[in-house]
Amino acid sequence: FAPLFDIPDLGVGSPPDRIRRYVDARLGLYTAIAPIGRLARSRSVAQPMIAASLQQTRIRFSQQVAEHFAPELAARASAH
């Protein structure tokens, strides 16, 4: 499953292209791991290692979004 966690050509291309790749990547990932993801989230309450892994994945996804959409996020930050 590891390759499914990546966004192809991270940060490269026009905004519509990057949005399309992001959505396609996440849909592919969530479709492939849906049953395992539900199990992991349900077990994370009682299993600290699973909870930690899920937290690391959330951090990784946040970093990917920040890199993939850096120009747009920077523009918003400078507008405030």
Side-chain angles (χ1 to χ4, degrees), residues 17-76:
D17 290 339
R18 286 182 282 134
I19 291 168
R20 187 174 311 108
R21 282 196 316 276
Y22 176 79
V23 170
D24 289 347
R26 288 298 181 255
L27 283 174
L29 169 66
Y30 294 140
T31 299
I33 68 162
I36 295 167
R38 283 191 298 273
L39 178 63
R41 287 187 300 277
S42 70
R43 298 288 172 96
S44 68
V45 175
Q47 298 292 326
M49 288 181 63
I50 294 173
S53 178
L54 291 173
Q55 180 61 22
Q56 289 300 316
T57 299
R58 288 184 197 102
I59 291 168
R60 178 178 176 193
F61 284 178
S62 294
Q63 292 168 339
Q64 285 178 334
V65 168
E67 185 175 343
H68 199 55
F69 298 107
E72 292 77 17
L73 294 171
R76 287 189 51 85

